[in-house]
């Protein structure tokens, strides 16, 4: 009579052990699957070379405004060569590239930039009447340069840039060019307002101010204010 209860009890113990063992196995499998899933997510979008040294991976990757991570010097040199090529199409691509580079340039990439070489070429770009885009991007580049290096305003003046910019300011066939010229003249008016006055810039602006939108009109007023200060100082 004692065998049956003992047998049932032993059966329950064996069942309990099996159940516990199965739970442990399932838990281990679940942990393994979760770990594998997390590793797959971590590796999503990573190239096979992800385990390589980071400096090796970064070499040659282009960064906007830096001419590549370590290639700012080479980038400006290449653009300068294109500007000197004598080919207008190559010149146009070069001023577009230069405009982009200067707009996003970091201080450490500008050490190799030679304003003495670039400014005369960009002023020459203002004379290419057959290529409005060249004139506009040359103007934008000059504005960036004068913004970064205010003392280059004198170079632009000496190269005859103010007279050319005053001419472009009157070009309503290409309104973007006219507005770009006004922005460049604003930079010059801060450093050398007399040069704008001498090129009849004040009269031209007064005659044309109503044709520009409000934002450009404000810039014109700032230029006129700089010229007025210049004129006032002459009578002090």
């Amino acid at each position: 009579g004692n065998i049956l209860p003992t047998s049932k009890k032993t059966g329950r113990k064996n069942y309990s052990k099996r159940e516990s063992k199965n739970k442990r196995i399932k838990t281990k499998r679940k942990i393994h699957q979760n770990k594998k899933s997390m590793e797959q997510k971590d590796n999503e979008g990573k190239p096979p070379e992800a385990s390589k040294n980071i400096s090796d991976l970064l070499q040659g990757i282009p960064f906007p405004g830096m001419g590549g991570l370590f290639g700012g010097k080479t980038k400006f040199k290449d653009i300068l060569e294109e500007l000197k090529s004598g080919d207008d199409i190559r010149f146009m691509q070069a001023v577009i590239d230069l405009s982009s580079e200067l707009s996003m340039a970091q201080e450490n990439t500008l050490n190799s930039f030679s304003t003495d070489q670039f400014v005369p070429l960009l002023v020459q770009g203002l004379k290419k009447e057959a290529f409005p885009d060249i004139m506009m991007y040359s103007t934008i580049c000059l504005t960036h340069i004068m913004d970064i290096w205010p003392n280059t305003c004198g170079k632009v003046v000496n190269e005859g840039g103010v007279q050319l910019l005053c001419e472009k300011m009157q070009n309503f066939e290409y309104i973007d060019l006219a507005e770009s010229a006004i922005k460049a003249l604003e930079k010059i008016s801060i450093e050398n307002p007399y040069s704008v006055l001498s090129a009849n810039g004040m009269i031209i602006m007064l005659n044309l101010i109503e044709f520009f939108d409000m934002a450009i009109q404000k810039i014109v007023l700032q230029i006129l204010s700089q010229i007025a200060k210049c004129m006032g100082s002459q009578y002090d």
Side-chain angles (χ1 to χ4, degrees), residues 162-203:
V162 177
Q163 188 65 52
L164 289 168
L165 288 169
C166 285
E167 291 175 8
K168 308 313 168 195
M169 183 171 54
Q170 303 174 73
N171 192 335
F172 280 90
E173 186 178 355
Y174 303 103
I175 190 66
D176 289 342
L177 174 58
E179 292 179 351
S180 296
I182 289 174
K183 292 174 183 177
L185 287 168
E186 180 194 15
K187 301 298 179 185
I188 295 172
S189 71
I190 295 170
E191 300 294 322
N192 193 338
Y194 184 74
S195 65
V196 182
L197 178 64
S198 300
N200 291 324
M202 183 176 181
I203 296 172

Side-chain angles (χ1 to χ4, degrees), residues 134-145:
I134 288 181
M135 293 190 291
M136 185 180 75
Y137 280 102
S138 294
T139 303
I140 292 171
C141 288
L142 287 170
T143 303
H144 285 317
I145 290 170

Side-chain angles (χ1 to χ4, degrees), residues 79 81-96 121 124-135 137-138:
I79 290 174
E81 289 177 0
E82 293 297 291
L83 292 175
K84 292 178 177 179
S85 67
D87 184 304
D88 287 333
I89 301 302
R90 290 168 65 183
F91 191 104
M92 180 163 61
Q93 186 58 54
V95 288
I96 291 172
L121 291 168
Q124 288 301 311
L126 299 178
K127 299 177 181 179
K128 296 184 182 291
E129 298 287 342
F131 296 89
D133 283 342
I134 288 181
M135 293 190 291
Y137 280 102
S138 294

Side-chain angles (χ1 to χ4, degrees), residues 3-42:
I3 295 173
L4 185 58
T6 304
S7 176
K8 286 184 177 180
K9 189 174 182 182
T10 304
R12 287 196 188 109
K13 283 183 179 179
N14 290 338
Y15 175 78
S16 179
K17 285 180 181 179
R18 285 197 301 272
E19 186 180 27
S20 178
K21 187 177 180 180
N22 288 338
K23 282 184 178 179
R24 286 198 299 271
I25 292 170
K26 286 180 180 178
T27 302
K28 285 181 180 179
R29 283 178 181 171
K30 192 170 184 180
I31 291 171
H32 179 71
Q33 288 173 351
N34 288 342
K35 186 177 179 182
K36 193 172 181 181
S37 176
M38 288 175 70
E39 286 176 353
Q40 287 175 346
K41 285 182 179 179
D42 287 342

Side-chain angles (χ1 to χ4, degrees), residues 55 58 78 107 118 141 149 155 159 164 181-182 201 212 227:
S55 61
L58 289 173
D78 291 345
E107 186 176 350
F118 276 98
C141 288
W149 299 282
K155 292 185 178 71
E159 291 292 331
L164 289 168
I182 289 174
F212 293 105
I227 294 173

